[in-house]
Amino acid sequence: MTKRQFSNTEVEYLRALPAVESVTQNRITYSRDFQISCMRRYLDGERPSSIFTSAGLSPAIVGRKRVERNIARWKVDPDIMAAAKSGGSSGPLSAETRERLVSVQLGQIRSLTCQVLELKDRIDVLERQLKEIQR
C-alpha cells in the first residue's frame, strides 16, 4: 500500500492551520483542542468530513481514509472522549480561530491566483512562439 505524500505547498498550508500541531510530508499531528472539538461535534451528529473541512482540512487534501482513521482512533481514546463529553456543545470554532483560518485561506487563494496568472502568461508566450514557428 502506498501512502500519498503531501506536496510542499500542502505542508505549508496544513502547518498554518490552528487544528494542526505539526505536519510532515507523510504525517499530520492534530492539536488536542481540535481532537476534542472534533469528537464533540461528532457526538453531536456532525459528519467527520464536514468537521474536518470547516477546520480547513478538506478530505481532498488530507484524504478520506485519514479522516476515518482519526475518528476511529479518537473514539477509543478515553481522555479525548471524556473531554469531548464533558465540554458540552460549544460552537464549532472560536471567532479568533475562524479569523485565523480565513486569513490562511485568503493567503492560499492569493498565492494560487498568482500562480494561475503566471501560468497564463507562460501559455501566452508559448502560443506566440508556436505561431512564429508555424509561419
Side-chain angles (χ1 to χ4, degrees):
M1 170 174 31
T2 60
K3 290 185 179 179
R4 178 189 174 283
Q5 290 193 328
F6 299 113
S7 69
N8 290 336
T9 304
E10 290 170 330
V11 169
E12 287 177 33
Y13 170 74
L14 292 169
R15 199 171 273 147
L17 296 175
V20 175
E21 188 173 296
S22 66
V23 63
T24 66
Q25 287 188 323
N26 300 315
R27 168 176 254 147
I28 302 173
T29 303
Y30 300 96
S31 72
R32 192 68 164 177
D33 287 341
F34 174 71
Q35 294 171 358
I36 293 167
S37 170
C38 180
M39 293 315 297
R40 182 177 300 133
R41 293 169 63 187
Y42 178 77
L43 291 172
D44 286 343
E46 223 175 307
R47 297 181 67 211
S49 60
S50 68
I51 298 168
F52 273 69
T53 300
S54 71
L57 298 159
S58 167
I61 295 173
V62 177
R64 255 187 298 265
K65 272 303 204 191
R66 276 191 173 108
V67 172
E68 291 172 12
R69 287 186 198 125
N70 284 314
I71 295 293
R73 190 172 55 251
W74 298 340
K75 261 200 269 191
V76 297
D77 184 310
D79 295 336
I80 292 173
M81 292 309 293
K85 289 176 183 175
S86 71
S89 184
S90 65
L93 296 173
S94 70
E96 181 181 323
T97 301
R98 248 189 329 275
E99 275 184 44
R100 185 171 171 212
L101 179 59
V102 167
S103 175
V104 166
Q105 290 175 337
L106 282 173
Q108 286 293 313
I109 290 169
R110 287 184 188 117
S111 173
L112 291 170
T113 301
C114 287
Q115 289 176 29
V116 167
L117 293 173
E118 287 174 15
L119 289 171
K120 283 182 178 181
D121 289 343
R122 288 174 64 187
I123 288 171
D124 289 343
V125 168
L126 291 171
E127 284 177 342
R128 276 187 245 120
Q129 289 175 348
L130 180 60
K131 284 180 185 178
E132 289 295 321
I133 292 170
Q134 290 176 342
R135 286 184 192 172

